[in-house]
Amino acid sequence: MYSILFIIGLTHLLNDSLQAVVPAMFPILERSLGLTFTQLGLITFTLNMVASVMQPVVGMYTDRRPFAYALPIGLLSSMFGMLGLAFAPNLPTILISVVLIGLGSAVFHPEGSRIAYLAAGNKRGLAQSIYQVGGNSGQALAPVITALVLVPMGQFGAIWFVAVAFIAVLFLTYISRWYAQQIHIFKQNNKKKKQTAKTKVKLPKLIRNSVIVLIFVVFARSLYHSAISNYYAFYAIQEYGASIAESQIFIFVFLVTGAVGTFVGGPLADRFGKRVIIMLSLLAPAPLTILLPYVGPYVAMILVGVIGILILSSFSVAVVYAQEMVPGKIGTMSGLIVGLAFGMGAVGSVFFGSLIDSIGLTQTMVIVSFLPLLGLLTFLLPSDDKIREINRKLGGSTLD
């Protein structure tokens, strides 16, 4: 169902471009409202933690009781959040606005991932890549938003994204009609599986432990992604003497190449295995991330591009890997990996913001550069063949 995949990918772009407005406004808010790095980290923390905490909750609920029109309703919340952000006079109002945006994102991501799963056929890696590359492309718009909209218009420029949210609501209303039909089919198939189930068993210990390891690995990747996305522009301004608009080029390159990596990673995982791609996505760029704080601006531009491709090549792969570890829990696994694990990177935003205020920007970026080495934990994950073997052994059973 490529038409459905492309539409949900496009709405993912629109949804994540709304989220991208928030960190894109950081240089504007720092100057207009006099916010500290710690306060900027608190904004990111609020946005991502609302989304991360709610995504698994939404996923678990809709695994049991799918609701087709949850998607457009969620984007309406984001639309009101953008409206509030455009007029927010102080930090508390900004926090309330980003909570609304976070709630919309919390609903969109697990449900969007489910739609990609249902439309995938036997190409789950490719389907998730099409879906996820939309989101990464939306995030990549952040520096463009800053340079073309927020720099000339200031905070009020966020008003344009109320229209973006409304367009997304229209697309998702169309998607929801198709989704309602799929929910009916899904319920019928699930009912038949339950009728033919022989026993009810708990998840094997290996799978439970592997899910925990995978969440931590994705957290490490997200922590690095969050640090670069939120603070590298300030690093470029300080170390390279770049203007606000020029500093956004580094972030744009990182996020655009990350979108490319996300799209390429899915098909590669379908061919070479998901665990292999997850492992390489962290360990391969590790030498480059360690080198990044010590090079000049032109070499840095090349490095952030290569790092972006490599480190985000496992973005969609990790979701499919988790979904295959726990079949039948599509929304829950998407919520845990995209929501909880990615949102935990928001904790790092607060931590790194405080660290910058305490020890300085350069020293903090050096510490950040070692995060991809945590990819060594992927050696603890089972191979794709091992997961398929476990699922075959559990055939005819339902998982608690």
Side-chain angles (χ1 to χ4, degrees), residues 295-319:
V295 299
Y298 298 109
V299 176
M301 190 75 71
I302 297 172
L303 289 182
V304 295
V306 177
I307 292 168
I309 290 176
L310 293 173
I311 207 161
L312 285 183
S313 61
S314 65
F315 195 95
S316 61
V317 177
V319 177

PDB file of all heavy atoms in Angstrom, residues 295-319:
ATOM      1  N   VAL A 295      38.047  19.540  15.011  1.00  0.00           N
ATOM      2  CA  VAL A 295      38.284  19.913  13.616  1.00  0.00           C
ATOM      3  C   VAL A 295      37.721  21.302  13.333  1.00  0.00           C
ATOM      4  O   VAL A 295      36.961  21.863  14.132  1.00  0.00           O
ATOM      5  CB  VAL A 295      37.646  18.881  12.653  1.00  0.00           C
ATOM      6  CG1 VAL A 295      38.253  17.505  12.874  1.00  0.00           C
ATOM      7  CG2 VAL A 295      36.125  18.834  12.833  1.00  0.00           C
ATOM      8  N   GLY A 296      38.096  21.846  12.175  1.00  0.00           N
ATOM      9  CA  GLY A 296      37.609  23.150  11.761  1.00  0.00           C
ATOM     10  C   GLY A 296      36.215  23.073  11.161  1.00  0.00           C
ATOM     11  O   GLY A 296      35.656  21.983  11.007  1.00  0.00           O
ATOM     12  N   PRO A 297      35.645  24.213  10.784  1.00  0.00           N
ATOM     13  CA  PRO A 297      34.247  24.251  10.340  1.00  0.00           C
ATOM     14  C   PRO A 297      33.964  23.455   9.064  1.00  0.00           C
ATOM     15  O   PRO A 297      32.907  22.828   8.953  1.00  0.00           O
ATOM     16  CB  PRO A 297      33.982  25.750  10.123  1.00  0.00           C
ATOM     17  CG  PRO A 297      35.340  26.369   9.963  1.00  0.00           C
ATOM     18  CD  PRO A 297      36.256  25.556  10.808  1.00  0.00           C
ATOM     19  N   TYR A 298      34.901  23.444   8.106  1.00  0.00           N
ATOM     20  CA  TYR A 298      34.637  22.762   6.847  1.00  0.00           C
ATOM     21  C   TYR A 298      34.688  21.237   7.015  1.00  0.00           C
ATOM     22  O   TYR A 298      33.835  20.514   6.489  1.00  0.00           O
ATOM     23  CB  TYR A 298      35.633  23.224   5.779  1.00  0.00           C
ATOM     24  CG  TYR A 298      35.530  24.698   5.481  1.00  0.00           C
ATOM     25  CD1 TYR A 298      36.528  25.589   5.877  1.00  0.00           C
ATOM     26  CD2 TYR A 298      34.409  25.216   4.839  1.00  0.00           C
ATOM     27  CE1 TYR A 298      36.422  26.952   5.634  1.00  0.00           C
ATOM     28  CE2 TYR A 298      34.292  26.584   4.587  1.00  0.00           C
ATOM     29  CZ  TYR A 298      35.300  27.437   4.987  1.00  0.00           C
ATOM     30  OH  TYR A 298      35.182  28.776   4.744  1.00  0.00           O
ATOM     31  N   VAL A 299      35.675  20.772   7.753  1.00  0.00           N
ATOM     32  CA  VAL A 299      35.741  19.332   8.045  1.00  0.00           C
ATOM     33  C   VAL A 299      34.559  18.923   8.917  1.00  0.00           C
ATOM     34  O   VAL A 299      33.976  17.855   8.738  1.00  0.00           O
ATOM     35  CB  VAL A 299      37.076  18.969   8.730  1.00  0.00           C
ATOM     36  CG1 VAL A 299      37.100  17.487   9.112  1.00  0.00           C
ATOM     37  CG2 VAL A 299      38.246  19.298   7.820  1.00  0.00           C
ATOM     38  N   ALA A 300      34.183  19.799   9.855  1.00  0.00           N
ATOM     39  CA  ALA A 300      33.045  19.512  10.733  1.00  0.00           C
ATOM     40  C   ALA A 300      31.763  19.335   9.921  1.00  0.00           C
ATOM     41  O   ALA A 300      30.935  18.465  10.232  1.00  0.00           O
ATOM     42  CB  ALA A 300      32.865  20.633  11.760  1.00  0.00           C
ATOM     43  N   MET A 301      31.593  20.154   8.880  1.00  0.00           N
ATOM     44  CA  MET A 301      30.405  20.039   8.034  1.00  0.00           C
ATOM     45  C   MET A 301      30.330  18.657   7.387  1.00  0.00           C
ATOM     46  O   MET A 301      29.265  18.040   7.323  1.00  0.00           O
ATOM     47  CB  MET A 301      30.434  21.114   6.951  1.00  0.00           C
ATOM     48  CG  MET A 301      29.150  21.246   6.157  1.00  0.00           C
ATOM     49  SD  MET A 301      27.852  22.077   7.097  1.00  0.00           S
ATOM     50  CE  MET A 301      28.496  23.755   7.136  1.00  0.00           C
ATOM     51  N   ILE A 302      31.481  18.146   6.923  1.00  0.00           N
ATOM     52  CA  ILE A 302      31.527  16.813   6.312  1.00  0.00           C
ATOM     53  C   ILE A 302      31.247  15.741   7.355  1.00  0.00           C
ATOM     54  O   ILE A 302      30.464  14.811   7.125  1.00  0.00           O
ATOM     55  CB  ILE A 302      32.894  16.576   5.649  1.00  0.00           C
ATOM     56  CG1 ILE A 302      33.109  17.576   4.500  1.00  0.00           C
ATOM     57  CG2 ILE A 302      33.010  15.144   5.138  1.00  0.00           C
ATOM     58  CD1 ILE A 302      34.505  17.543   3.912  1.00  0.00           C
ATOM     59  N   LEU A 303      31.864  15.888   8.519  1.00  0.00           N
ATOM     60  CA  LEU A 303      31.705  14.881   9.565  1.00  0.00           C
ATOM     61  C   LEU A 303      30.267  14.782  10.052  1.00  0.00           C
ATOM     62  O   LEU A 303      29.736  13.671  10.233  1.00  0.00           O
ATOM     63  CB  LEU A 303      32.633  15.178  10.743  1.00  0.00           C
ATOM     64  CG  LEU A 303      34.133  14.948  10.515  1.00  0.00           C
ATOM     65  CD1 LEU A 303      34.910  15.241  11.796  1.00  0.00           C
ATOM     66  CD2 LEU A 303      34.400  13.535  10.042  1.00  0.00           C
ATOM     67  N   VAL A 304      29.610  15.920  10.276  1.00  0.00           N
ATOM     68  CA  VAL A 304      28.229  15.853  10.781  1.00  0.00           C
ATOM     69  C   VAL A 304      27.313  15.205   9.736  1.00  0.00           C
ATOM     70  O   VAL A 304      26.343  14.523  10.087  1.00  0.00           O
ATOM     71  CB  VAL A 304      27.684  17.246  11.181  1.00  0.00           C
ATOM     72  CG1 VAL A 304      28.462  17.803  12.356  1.00  0.00           C
ATOM     73  CG2 VAL A 304      27.658  18.212  10.019  1.00  0.00           C
ATOM     74  N   GLY A 305      27.643  15.372   8.452  1.00  0.00           N
ATOM     75  CA  GLY A 305      26.854  14.719   7.411  1.00  0.00           C
ATOM     76  C   GLY A 305      27.006  13.214   7.437  1.00  0.00           C
ATOM     77  O   GLY A 305      26.023  12.466   7.379  1.00  0.00           O
ATOM     78  N   VAL A 306      28.257  12.739   7.533  1.00  0.00           N
ATOM     79  CA  VAL A 306      28.503  11.299   7.576  1.00  0.00           C
ATOM     80  C   VAL A 306      27.924  10.694   8.857  1.00  0.00           C
ATOM     81  O   VAL A 306      27.298   9.629   8.845  1.00  0.00           O
ATOM     82  CB  VAL A 306      30.015  11.004   7.475  1.00  0.00           C
ATOM     83  CG1 VAL A 306      30.279   9.504   7.588  1.00  0.00           C
ATOM     84  CG2 VAL A 306      30.570  11.535   6.157  1.00  0.00           C
ATOM     85  N   ILE A 307      28.126  11.386   9.973  1.00  0.00           N
ATOM     86  CA  ILE A 307      27.579  10.905  11.247  1.00  0.00           C
ATOM     87  C   ILE A 307      26.057  10.816  11.175  1.00  0.00           C
ATOM     88  O   ILE A 307      25.453   9.849  11.657  1.00  0.00           O
ATOM     89  CB  ILE A 307      28.012  11.839  12.403  1.00  0.00           C
ATOM     90  CG1 ILE A 307      29.513  11.724  12.651  1.00  0.00           C
ATOM     91  CG2 ILE A 307      27.247  11.508  13.692  1.00  0.00           C
ATOM     92  CD1 ILE A 307      30.074  12.800  13.570  1.00  0.00           C
ATOM     93  N   GLY A 308      25.416  11.826  10.564  1.00  0.00           N
ATOM     94  CA  GLY A 308      23.961  11.814  10.446  1.00  0.00           C
ATOM     95  C   GLY A 308      23.460  10.602   9.701  1.00  0.00           C
ATOM     96  O   GLY A 308      22.498   9.936  10.119  1.00  0.00           O
ATOM     97  N   ILE A 309      24.108  10.263   8.570  1.00  0.00           N
ATOM     98  CA  ILE A 309      23.705   9.087   7.791  1.00  0.00           C
ATOM     99  C   ILE A 309      23.827   7.819   8.618  1.00  0.00           C
ATOM    100  O   ILE A 309      22.904   6.992   8.682  1.00  0.00           O
ATOM    101  CB  ILE A 309      24.558   8.961   6.511  1.00  0.00           C
ATOM    102  CG1 ILE A 309      24.209  10.079   5.530  1.00  0.00           C
ATOM    103  CG2 ILE A 309      24.335   7.606   5.839  1.00  0.00           C
ATOM    104  CD1 ILE A 309      25.076  10.094   4.289  1.00  0.00           C
ATOM    105  N   LEU A 310      24.980   7.657   9.273  1.00  0.00           N
ATOM    106  CA  LEU A 310      25.256   6.405   9.988  1.00  0.00           C
ATOM    107  C   LEU A 310      24.403   6.248  11.240  1.00  0.00           C
ATOM    108  O   LEU A 310      23.784   5.207  11.458  1.00  0.00           O
ATOM    109  CB  LEU A 310      26.741   6.345  10.361  1.00  0.00           C
ATOM    110  CG  LEU A 310      27.724   6.228   9.181  1.00  0.00           C
ATOM    111  CD1 LEU A 310      29.162   6.343   9.675  1.00  0.00           C
ATOM    112  CD2 LEU A 310      27.515   4.929   8.433  1.00  0.00           C
ATOM    113  N   ILE A 311      24.334   7.304  12.057  1.00  0.00           N
ATOM    114  CA  ILE A 311      23.738   7.140  13.378  1.00  0.00           C
ATOM    115  C   ILE A 311      22.215   7.002  13.315  1.00  0.00           C
ATOM    116  O   ILE A 311      21.599   6.412  14.205  1.00  0.00           O
ATOM    117  CB  ILE A 311      24.163   8.295  14.310  1.00  0.00           C
ATOM    118  CG1 ILE A 311      24.148   7.824  15.771  1.00  0.00           C
ATOM    119  CG2 ILE A 311      23.264   9.525  14.130  1.00  0.00           C
ATOM    120  CD1 ILE A 311      24.951   8.681  16.699  1.00  0.00           C
ATOM    121  N   LEU A 312      21.592   7.542  12.259  1.00  0.00           N
ATOM    122  CA  LEU A 312      20.142   7.418  12.141  1.00  0.00           C
ATOM    123  C   LEU A 312      19.708   6.319  11.171  1.00  0.00           C
ATOM    124  O   LEU A 312      18.529   6.176  10.886  1.00  0.00           O
ATOM    125  CB  LEU A 312      19.525   8.753  11.716  1.00  0.00           C
ATOM    126  CG  LEU A 312      19.448   9.811  12.818  1.00  0.00           C
ATOM    127  CD1 LEU A 312      18.760  11.069  12.315  1.00  0.00           C
ATOM    128  CD2 LEU A 312      18.725   9.282  14.050  1.00  0.00           C
ATOM    129  N   SER A 313      20.658   5.530  10.683  1.00  0.00           N
ATOM    130  CA  SER A 313      20.300   4.426   9.791  1.00  0.00           C
ATOM    131  C   SER A 313      19.499   3.343  10.513  1.00  0.00           C
ATOM    132  O   SER A 313      18.827   2.534   9.875  1.00  0.00           O
ATOM    133  CB  SER A 313      21.564   3.811   9.176  1.00  0.00           C
ATOM    134  OG  SER A 313      22.410   3.281  10.178  1.00  0.00           O
ATOM    135  N   SER A 314      19.563   3.332  11.845  1.00  0.00           N
ATOM    136  CA  SER A 314      18.815   2.323  12.613  1.00  0.00           C
ATOM    137  C   SER A 314      17.516   2.868  13.196  1.00  0.00           C
ATOM    138  O   SER A 314      16.861   2.187  13.992  1.00  0.00           O
ATOM    139  CB  SER A 314      19.686   1.790  13.756  1.00  0.00           C
ATOM    140  OG  SER A 314      19.972   2.823  14.695  1.00  0.00           O
ATOM    141  N   PHE A 315      17.118   4.091  12.810  1.00  0.00           N
ATOM    142  CA  PHE A 315      15.947   4.714  13.425  1.00  0.00           C
ATOM    143  C   PHE A 315      14.699   3.863  13.225  1.00  0.00           C
ATOM    144  O   PHE A 315      13.996   3.509  14.174  1.00  0.00           O
ATOM    145  CB  PHE A 315      15.741   6.117  12.838  1.00  0.00           C
ATOM    146  CG  PHE A 315      14.801   6.972  13.631  1.00  0.00           C
ATOM    147  CD1 PHE A 315      15.280   7.850  14.579  1.00  0.00           C
ATOM    148  CD2 PHE A 315      13.433   6.892  13.439  1.00  0.00           C
ATOM    149  CE1 PHE A 315      14.414   8.633  15.330  1.00  0.00           C
ATOM    150  CE2 PHE A 315      12.558   7.670  14.180  1.00  0.00           C
ATOM    151  CZ  PHE A 315      13.053   8.543  15.130  1.00  0.00           C
ATOM    152  N   SER A 316      14.391   3.522  11.974  1.00  0.00           N
ATOM    153  CA  SER A 316      13.208   2.699  11.705  1.00  0.00           C
ATOM    154  C   SER A 316      13.471   1.233  12.010  1.00  0.00           C
ATOM    155  O   SER A 316      12.564   0.491  12.381  1.00  0.00           O
ATOM    156  CB  SER A 316      12.784   2.856  10.241  1.00  0.00           C
ATOM    157  OG  SER A 316      13.810   2.424   9.370  1.00  0.00           O
ATOM    158  N   VAL A 317      14.733   0.819  11.857  1.00  0.00           N
ATOM    159  CA  VAL A 317      15.098  -0.588  12.052  1.00  0.00           C
ATOM    160  C   VAL A 317      14.813  -1.032  13.485  1.00  0.00           C
ATOM    161  O   VAL A 317      14.304  -2.129  13.730  1.00  0.00           O
ATOM    162  CB  VAL A 317      16.579  -0.804  11.706  1.00  0.00           C
ATOM    163  CG1 VAL A 317      16.995  -2.248  11.975  1.00  0.00           C
ATOM    164  CG2 VAL A 317      16.840  -0.435  10.252  1.00  0.00           C
ATOM    165  N   ALA A 318      15.141  -0.175  14.455  1.00  0.00           N
ATOM    166  CA  ALA A 318      14.936  -0.518  15.859  1.00  0.00           C
ATOM    167  C   ALA A 318      13.458  -0.747  16.159  1.00  0.00           C
ATOM    168  O   ALA A 318      13.100  -1.619  16.968  1.00  0.00           O
ATOM    169  CB  ALA A 318      15.497   0.578  16.759  1.00  0.00           C
ATOM    170  N   VAL A 319      12.573   0.015  15.503  1.00  0.00           N
ATOM    171  CA  VAL A 319      11.137  -0.143  15.723  1.00  0.00           C
ATOM    172  C   VAL A 319      10.670  -1.503  15.223  1.00  0.00           C
ATOM    173  O   VAL A 319       9.975  -2.245  15.925  1.00  0.00           O
ATOM    174  CB  VAL A 319      10.350   0.980  15.022  1.00  0.00           C
ATOM    175  CG1 VAL A 319       8.846   0.767  15.197  1.00  0.00           C
ATOM    176  CG2 VAL A 319      10.759   2.337  15.557  1.00  0.00           C
TER     177      VAL A 319
END
